């Protein structure tokens, strides 16, 4: 199938070209994001491949349909950026990559936690400058701490297992508790109880109407003083303004983010020569106890290979049968 890949980076191109040797699709790589201004590039392509922050809204879908698109292939697992109702109305099938490496994301959440706690990023700079003083680098033992996991699907379950290995007590909240997690010693509780009892809270649920701002001022009021909060899921789960207040008051002791509510304007680009216009994000960067990465939790060779492979298989399935087991339905 002819596929237009938007928001394409050199690493996407290299992994997709390698995996496509088995599939033989006709791939065209476009650097810009798919949006109102760039949608015309997709004219004549039945397949359109997008990433997490391409806004595939009703208006873009209308133009895609007019240009002959029949398939949106998300090369990610989240699909909150696609208007599924509008896609269905235009008879455009939406497929995704449900799991490419849940380990990569869970391990990155742990990396954020360890780096913040032991201040590895600060120690690295100090030692390079010949400063071997330890003041300001005091951490805490993870052993014995209570970790609350919100969402114990593929990624959350792995994160819980890793933290169990550190000797932590595991609490979880999920609409659909996992028996496997229970058997590994995870205790399911209501969200409020999890927030009240956890020293560390890590978010692993999807962004939905229900979970938007699941961490807001009210949730923060329930949390322990000095709590560590990790979000590698979706920025919209956290009310950033409330979190900034929580950081200023000391309620939040450490904040580790791989995602940000307004990341679309920032992430996946080199803006090092520009002035950051987002004042809320800029404020977050000023806290010594905040560590932010730019949506890189998924970014391992294993994950990129799996993403390319599943995306190209999704397209082949759709092309050959009109169906795909990874279709996203309303
Ligand atoms: P999953 O679908 O396997 O698990 C999500 C879990 O959240 C499910 O168990 C579900 O029952 C639960 N859940 C849904 N609504 C809930 C609610 N209201 N309260 C509590 N739990 C709820 O998804 P997976 O693969 O574990 O991914 C989790 C999230 O991680 C994705 O939605 C995506 O947003 C994010 N992600 C981030 C990446 C990154 O690079 N930073 C890469 C891949 C995924």
């Amino acid at each position: 199938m002819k596929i237009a890949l938007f928001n394409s980076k050199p690493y996407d191109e290299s992994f997709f070209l390698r995996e496509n040797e088995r599939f033989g699709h006709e791939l065209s790589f476009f650097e810009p994001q798919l949006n109102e201004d760039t949608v015309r590039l997709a004219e004549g392509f039945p397949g359109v491949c997008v990433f997490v922050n391409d806004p595939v809204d009703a208006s873009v879908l209308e133009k895609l349909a007019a240009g002959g698109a029949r398939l949106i292939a998300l090369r990610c697992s989240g699909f909150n950026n696609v208007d599924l109702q509008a896609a269905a109305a235009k008879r455009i099938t939406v497929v995704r990559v449900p799991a490419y490496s849940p380990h990569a994301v869970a391990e990155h959440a742990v990396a954020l936690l360890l780096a913040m706690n032991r201040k590895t990023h600060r120690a690295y700079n100090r030692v390079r400058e010949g400063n071997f003083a330890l003041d300001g680098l005091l951490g805490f033992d993870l052993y014995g701490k209570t970790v609350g996991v919100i969402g114990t699907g593929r990624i959350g379950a792995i994160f819980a297992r890793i933290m169990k290995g550190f000797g932590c007590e595991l609490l979880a909240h999920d609409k659909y508790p996992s028996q496997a997690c229970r058997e590994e010693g995870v205790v399911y509780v209501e969200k409020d109880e999890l927030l009240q009892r956890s020293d560390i809270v890590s978010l692993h649920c999807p962004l939905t109407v229900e979970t938007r701002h699941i961490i807001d001022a009210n949730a923060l009021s329930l949390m322990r003083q000095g709590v560590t909060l990790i979000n590698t899921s979706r920025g919209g789960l956290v009310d950033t303004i409330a979190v900034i207040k929580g950081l200023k008051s000391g309620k939040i002791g450490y904040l580790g983010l791989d995602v940000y509510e307004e990341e679309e304007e920032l992430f996946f680009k080199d803006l090092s020569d520009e002035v950051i216009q987002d004042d809320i994000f800029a404020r977050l960067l000023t806290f010594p106890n905040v560590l932010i990465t730019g949506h890189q939790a998924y970014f391992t060779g294993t994950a990129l290979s799996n993403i390319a492979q599943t995306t190209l298989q999704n397209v082949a399935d759709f092309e050959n049968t009109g169906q795909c087991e990874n279709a996203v339905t309303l």
Side-chain angles (χ1 to χ4, degrees):
M1 184 183 269
K2 267 182 82 178
I3 313 169
L5 281 100
F6 281 84
N7 228 328
S8 172
K9 306 282 183 227
Y11 47 81
D12 292 315
E13 198 166 326
S14 117
F15 278 89
F16 268 84
L17 287 176
R18 193 184 314 159
E19 295 298 332
N20 195 41
E21 283 171 18
R22 281 191 310 113
F23 291 93
H25 295 298
E26 217 179 298
L27 306 181
S28 296
F29 298 92
F30 296 110
E31 234 178 275
Q33 181 192 58
L34 174 67
N35 58 33
E36 281 284 333
D37 300 326
T38 61
V39 64
R40 63 193 164 73
L41 291 169
E43 261 176 41
F45 287 90
V48 175
C49 181
V50 298
F51 195 45
V52 282
N53 291 327
D54 296 83
V56 192
D57 57 21
S59 160
V60 167
L61 281 158
E62 191 173 334
K63 295 185 176 89
L64 284 177
R70 291 184 290 123
L71 179 72
I72 303 282
L74 286 155
R75 51 177 195 280
C76 55
S77 73
F79 47 87
N80 49 286
N81 54 323
V82 181
D83 184 336
L84 293 178
Q85 218 145 13
K90 290 286 167 199
R91 296 183 164 277
I92 294 179
T93 300
V94 180
V95 296
R96 67 177 182 131
V97 183
Y100 35 89
S101 176
H103 294 277
V105 184
E107 287 168 13
H108 191 77
V110 179
L112 284 175
L113 173 59
L114 285 171
M116 279 192 302
N117 172 19
R118 306 310 297 268
K119 299 160 181 87
T120 327
H121 52 308
R122 302 180 78 182
Y124 171 81
N125 286 327
R126 276 195 194 183
V127 169
R128 285 172 73 92
E129 287 177 10
N131 177 358
F132 305 103
L134 298 183
D135 317 64
L137 300 182
L138 192 69
F140 60 83
D141 283 24
L142 285 172
Y143 178 82
K145 292 289 179 297
T146 300
V147 177
V149 184
I150 300 188
T152 51
R154 281 172 286 251
I155 296 168
I158 295 168
F159 176 79
R161 197 173 308 136
I162 298 173
M163 296 318 296
K164 199 79 196 160
F166 277 99
C168 296
E169 298 298 319
L170 264 299
L171 298 179
H173 173 68
D174 196 304
K175 280 170 86 172
Y176 305 99
S178 142
Q179 191 50 31
C181 283
R182 277 203 173 111
E183 283 164 15
E184 290 182 20
V186 175
V187 176
Y188 282 89
V189 293
E190 286 305 314
K191 189 186 78 190
D192 287 2
E193 186 179 343
L194 180 147
L195 297 174
Q196 282 161 346
R197 289 177 53 193
S198 299
D199 300 299
I200 297 154
V201 173
S202 195
L203 306 178
H204 298 287
C205 56
L207 177 61
T208 62
V209 176
E210 214 181 336
T211 60
R212 187 171 178 275
H213 288 182
I214 197 166
I215 302 298
D216 58 6
N218 182 46
L220 283 166
S221 71
L222 299 173
M223 291 164 100
R224 301 184 85 153
Q225 190 67 17
V227 67
T228 296
L229 177 64
I230 312 276
N231 185 11
T232 55
S233 203
R234 282 293 178 268
L237 296 177
V238 168
D239 176 348
T240 317
I241 304 274
V243 157
I244 287 174
K245 281 193 186 139
L247 284 161
K248 286 168 79 175
S249 72
K251 176 64 127 181
I252 299 179
Y254 298 95
L255 175 68
L257 299 179
D258 186 52
V259 285
Y260 169 62
E261 245 180 322
E262 307 298 332
E263 69 178 48
E264 193 189 318
E265 299 300 321
L266 298 166
F267 288 4
F268 308 116
K269 299 171 202 154
D270 179 359
L271 303 179
S272 51
D273 280 335
E274 292 182 29
V275 173
I276 289 184
Q277 299 298 325
D278 183 331
D279 291 348
I280 297 171
F281 187 77
R283 180 69 178 103
L284 275 180
L285 293 179
T286 65
F287 294 98
N289 49 351
V290 173
L291 185 56
I292 307 178
T293 51
H295 209 135
Q296 72 170 78
Y298 78 101
F299 198 59
T300 66
T302 307
L304 289 190
S305 259
N306 291 341
I307 287 172
Q309 211 171 53
T310 307
T311 304
L312 296 168
Q313 185 65 55
N314 285 344
V315 175
D317 290 348
F318 175 78
E319 194 175 25
N320 296 333
T321 67
Q323 287 176 345
C324 174
E325 63 167 346
N326 293 326
V328 187
T329 45
L330 279 169

